[in-house]
Amino acid sequence: MSVVEESRPFAQQLSNVYFTILSLFCFKLFVKISLAILSHFYIVKGNRKEAARIAAEFYGVTQGQGSWADRSPLHEAASQGRLLALRTLLSQVNAITIDGVTPLFNACSQGSPSCTELLLEYGAKPQLESCLPSPTHEAASKGHHECLEILISWGIDVDQDIPHLGTPLYVASMSQQFHCVRKLLYTGADVQKGKYWDTPLHAAAQQSCTEIVNLLLEFGADVNAKNTELLRPVDVATSSSLVERLLLQHEATPSSLCQLCRLCIRNYIGRPRLHLIPQLQLPTLLQNFLQYR
């Protein structure tokens, strides 16, 4: 038997391998093209949710990060903090990807106060429908308190409740973002509003964050509030932890008269008018006291 005859089966096998690889590549390319066409069809028909689902399942695109299908240069500039590029693209200020992401969301996600301010000045909506990704919640969860402060100054609802996230205060407490929690509370966020029946204090106790627990208690958080499982904040705290001891001590110690008076006055003034406290005919010491300064 010649050498050529002996090597022929191996050559045939190698040829089959190459053919299989080529077939798989062509099949994958065909699927990609088909899904791209299908996604475009859903976008044209107005069914952006279904288009987002296709992108998420096949391409691994996560909600909140923007979709490959219709992510505009404005989204890219905002997410990268490129202020100069952003100025040239502001004709699409409220552009929304198929999964609901706006350039303002991208700017808050990356923590760019300058881009956030610029987008708002050119007409970006600081707050959209509750079903869309929220710039406020994104800034609060990532600790971008400067972006959060800008959003607050533009009149966002600091108690906006998104069913699967809760309020910005709850999100900030769960993410242990002290500065964002403080900013929200100073602005007048409801200390009791969280996610369903879980309060921000439940979130802070669960994360064993003593700083935030102390801050929430100072603003009147209820240590006896129960969630859907009838658990109080102390019940979700780590056993024998500093947070558990702190909550137990607070339960046994009544609030001071000063704290009760401050909470009562702030509640009477109301959140929309808290910013007017400096205009009251009160000594500076009392103004600072009412503003937790």
Side-chain angles (χ1 to χ4, degrees):
M1 184 179 292
S2 66
V3 176
V4 175
E5 290 176 345
E6 290 179 355
S7 63
R8 184 173 300 169
F10 175 75
Q12 289 177 350
Q13 292 177 10
L14 188 62
S15 176
N16 289 337
V17 170
Y18 284 136
F19 179 76
T20 302
I21 293 174
L22 180 61
S23 299
L24 288 173
F25 173 79
C26 292
F27 176 74
K28 188 173 181 180
L29 182 62
F30 171 76
V31 171
K32 276 191 173 184
I33 294 173
S34 299
L35 286 172
I37 294 173
L38 184 61
S39 179
H40 180 71
F41 170 78
Y42 279 119
I43 293 173
V44 172
K45 290 294 182 180
N47 194 343
R48 304 168 74 87
K49 184 177 180 181
E50 183 63 20
R53 186 190 66 77
I54 293 173
E57 287 187 3
F58 189 78
Y59 294 96
V61 178
T62 56
Q63 292 291 321
Q65 294 301 317
S67 170
W68 61 273
D70 60 349
R71 188 176 171 93
S72 71
L74 192 65
H75 290 89
E76 295 293 342
S79 64
Q80 296 173 21
R82 294 187 285 121
L83 189 60
L84 293 178
L86 194 60
R87 290 181 183 276
T88 66
L89 297 167
L90 286 170
S91 60
Q92 304 178 56
V93 166
N94 288 307
I96 302 177
T97 65
I98 58 176
D99 45 4
V101 173
T102 63
L104 182 60
F105 179 93
N106 290 135
C108 291
S109 181
Q110 295 301 316
S112 174
S114 55
C115 287
T116 298
E117 186 73 54
L118 186 64
L119 286 165
L120 289 167
E121 287 176 357
Y122 278 82
K125 295 180 181 178
Q127 209 152 25
L128 299 173
E129 301 172 17
S130 60
C131 60
L132 297 176
S134 163
T136 306
H137 287 72
E138 184 71 3
S141 68
K142 293 192 173 180
H144 300 316
H145 58 93
E146 292 180 339
C147 292
L148 183 61
E149 186 171 2
I150 292 171
L151 291 169
I152 290 173
S153 70
W154 280 79
I156 54 99
D157 178 11
V158 293
D159 289 329
Q160 182 190 17
D161 189 357
I162 296 180
H164 65 287
L165 293 177
T167 63
L169 182 59
Y170 180 85
V171 167
S173 299
M174 183 62 76
S175 302
Q176 305 179 58
Q177 302 296 346
F178 176 80
H179 294 292
C180 289
V181 170
R182 183 171 60 181
K183 170 53 65 177
L184 289 164
L185 289 172
Y186 283 0
T187 306
D190 192 329
V191 72
Q192 292 302 120
K193 285 189 176 181
K195 181 181 179 183
Y196 302 115
W197 289 98
D198 274 66
T199 67
L201 189 57
H202 280 91
Q206 183 180 345
Q207 298 300 321
S208 297
C209 188
T210 55
E211 282 186 321
I212 294 180
V213 166
N214 272 318
L215 189 59
L216 292 169
L217 290 174
E218 188 178 359
F219 276 81
D222 184 4
V223 293
N224 293 312
K226 296 181 179 180
N227 60 15
T228 52
E229 299 175 348
L230 301 181
L231 298 176
R232 299 171 301 156
V234 69
D235 298 324
V236 301
T238 303
S239 180
S240 302
S241 65
L242 181 59
V243 166
E244 184 188 53
R245 294 197 297 271
L246 179 65
L247 290 170
L248 289 173
Q249 180 183 0
H250 190 82
E251 285 182 6
T253 308
S255 300
S256 68
L257 183 59
C258 283
Q259 183 184 17
L260 292 174
C261 287
R262 176 164 53 190
L263 292 173
C264 183
I265 294 172
R266 284 176 64 92
N267 288 335
Y268 181 80
I269 293 174
R271 187 181 69 204
R273 296 190 295 270
L274 285 176
H275 68 283
L276 299 176
I277 289 179
Q279 299 180 26
L280 296 176
Q281 298 301 314
L282 293 173
T284 303
L285 184 63
L286 284 179
Q287 291 183 11
N288 291 339
F289 173 74
L290 291 176
Q291 296 178 90
Y292 285 89
R293 292 180 178 173

